[in-house]
Amino acid sequence: MVSEDHEDVVPEIPLTRSPPSPARLLLRRPFITLVVAETLGNMGMWAFFLGVEAKAAYGFGASASQLGLLLAAYSLVFLLAAPGLGILADRWSPKWMLVLAYTASIGCIAVALVGGSMPWMYLSLGLFAATHAAVWPARGALVPLLVDERYLVQANGMVGMAWQVPLIAGPALAGLLIRLWGHGAPFVFAAAITATGVLTYLAVPDRRKEPEGAPERILPDLVAGFGEGFGTPELAWMLRRSVVGWVAMGLLITLEPLYVKEVLRRGQEVLGLVFSLQGTGALVGSIVLARLREGRGREHPMITLGFIGGGLGFLLYVGTTSVLTACIGATLFGFGFTFFTSPAQALVQRVARQPGKVT
């Protein structure tokens, strides 16, 4: 017989819990508010871009060289403004930089709305570039302040979705608005949706990086940012490939309106459609990235995969007179290109000592 003094004792076995998935960690309020705000802001951006291109190509009969100058106006201002604004992103508040940049972009949209000639389009796009030269480094500085380093690839995949979902809806809606109410309609829509994004950004937490000693002067700080970007092997590898990627994107954006108009012989609604299909492909790619369980340290092969897929899509897109083939190519290009952009952002945020400045 067993004594009643000795009760059966069931040992406590600690339950093993699997680590939370990246999706659950990323769906916390601060980060998801950022994603929603970016989605609204980017919808305004894509509607604005399509409105400017359509107004230039179909309203003013712009030539290929004029469309090239249009993109050059954007790129040159962006290139000159971004380094200084990147320093500010690390020294000040990334959140308030984003709020101010998107607010200022509403004024740039108004310039395009009232402009009655190509010089107004150059001016509006140049001013718009100055505002978005603040958006990129500020976003690059804010994401690692909201998300653990292990999940930067997934986080940038979700930010990529915020960039690409509007590319599906924004241009298609802008094309429809042009068809219904004329060239001014997409600008009104872009201004309204951007203003909504600004209000959403006010709810994003104001996270700032702790200063490391006394701040450097502007010029040495600028040199240090370039030195880190060019001198860090992983970042230098990415930089060389980024030049190729953005040149390809620049060619595509410049020639798209004339390609649709002169080669495919279709109207503005088809231009909106191919924009949207690029966004559809990119959205699928962003979903794949956002669901990765371990993206840290795998940025290089993902970027390479993105270039291969994007390059094949580019050839299909612009190498045919078939609307169907062009649509397939545009979708593949969008899918591939997001495997370049999102992991590249994650690589900068993971490796760089000052993410906003290096971005």
Side-chain angles (χ1 to χ4, degrees):
M1 294 180 61
V2 180
S3 170
E4 293 181 1
D5 295 332
H6 296 83
E7 296 180 355
D8 291 338
V9 177
V10 179
E12 292 187 7
I13 301 174
L15 297 175
T16 58
R17 295 183 179 180
S18 58
S21 67
R24 288 187 61 189
L25 288 168
L26 295 175
L27 287 176
R28 292 174 179 170
R29 189 180 64 82
F31 182 72
I32 204 64
T33 305
L34 167 70
V35 171
V36 172
E38 278 291 294
T39 301
L40 295 168
N42 285 316
M43 184 170 290
M45 180 193 73
W46 288 119
F48 168 74
F49 260 103
L50 184 99
V52 169
E53 286 202 336
K55 193 170 183 177
Y58 292 89
F60 302 138
S63 65
S65 60
Q66 287 177 309
L67 289 171
L69 285 172
L70 197 61
L71 184 63
Y74 177 90
S75 301
L76 182 61
V77 174
F78 190 103
L79 195 64
L80 293 174
L85 292 169
I87 292 173
L88 186 59
D90 279 322
R91 287 186 173 190
W92 186 50
S93 165
K95 168 197 168 165
W96 287 108
M97 278 189 70
L98 288 161
V99 169
L100 292 175
Y102 278 116
T103 301
S105 71
I106 297 172
C108 308
I109 295 169
V111 172
L113 173 63
V114 302
S117 62
M118 281 299 297
W120 285 96
M121 299 301 102
Y122 297 137
L123 177 62
S124 67
L125 211 54
L127 292 172
F128 195 81
T131 67
H132 276 256
V135 168
W136 279 76
R139 186 201 301 127
L142 184 56
V143 169
L145 296 175
L146 298 175
V147 175
D148 188 271
E149 180 189 295
R150 292 171 296 170
Y151 304 113
L152 285 174
V153 170
Q154 295 91 330
N156 282 279
M158 290 185 70
V159 172
M161 290 165 64
W163 201 51
Q164 308 303 348
V165 169
L167 183 52
I168 300 171
L173 184 56
L176 177 62
L177 292 173
I178 289 171
R179 190 178 185 90
L180 294 175
W181 292 299
H183 291 295
F187 299 121
V188 174
F189 168 75
I193 202 72
T194 301
T196 308
V198 170
L199 294 175
T200 307
Y201 250 120
L202 294 175
V204 176
D206 185 14
R207 303 279 174 82
R208 308 186 187 200
K209 188 171 183 178
E210 291 294 328
E212 298 179 2
E216 298 181 54
R217 289 177 296 175
I218 295 295
L219 185 58
D221 208 7
L222 193 63
V223 171
F226 278 104
E228 187 172 359
F230 285 98
T232 305
E234 287 182 283
L235 297 178
W237 180 95
M238 188 202 71
L239 177 65
R240 292 191 293 270
R241 283 147 185 82
S242 295
V243 172
V244 176
W246 288 111
V247 165
M249 177 59 88
L251 284 170
L252 191 64
I253 292 174
T254 302
L255 297 177
E256 246 172 342
L258 291 182
Y259 170 69
V260 173
K261 181 182 176 184
E262 304 293 342
V263 179
L264 297 182
R265 298 188 180 281
R266 299 302 174 101
Q268 299 167 60
E269 65 278 2
V270 173
L271 179 62
L273 173 64
V274 292
F275 260 75
S276 296
L277 287 173
Q278 288 179 55
T280 302
L283 174 62
V284 174
S286 295
I287 291 171
V288 172
L289 290 172
R291 291 179 63 84
L292 281 177
R293 283 197 166 270
E294 186 53 62
R296 184 180 185 278
R298 297 163 59 188
E299 297 94 347
H300 286 182
M302 286 190 282
I303 291 170
T304 302
L305 176 65
F307 274 118
I308 294 171
L312 290 173
F314 191 98
L315 288 175
L316 282 176
Y317 183 15
V318 301
T320 180
T321 58
S322 164
V323 174
L324 177 61
T325 306
C327 288
I328 295 171
T331 306
L332 181 57
F333 176 79
F335 179 84
F337 201 73
T338 199
F339 271 78
F340 154 57
T341 54
S342 294
Q345 286 287 307
L347 183 64
V348 171
Q349 293 160 2
R350 180 173 66 84
V351 174
R353 188 173 58 87
Q354 302 282 351
K357 182 168 63 180
V358 177
T359 298

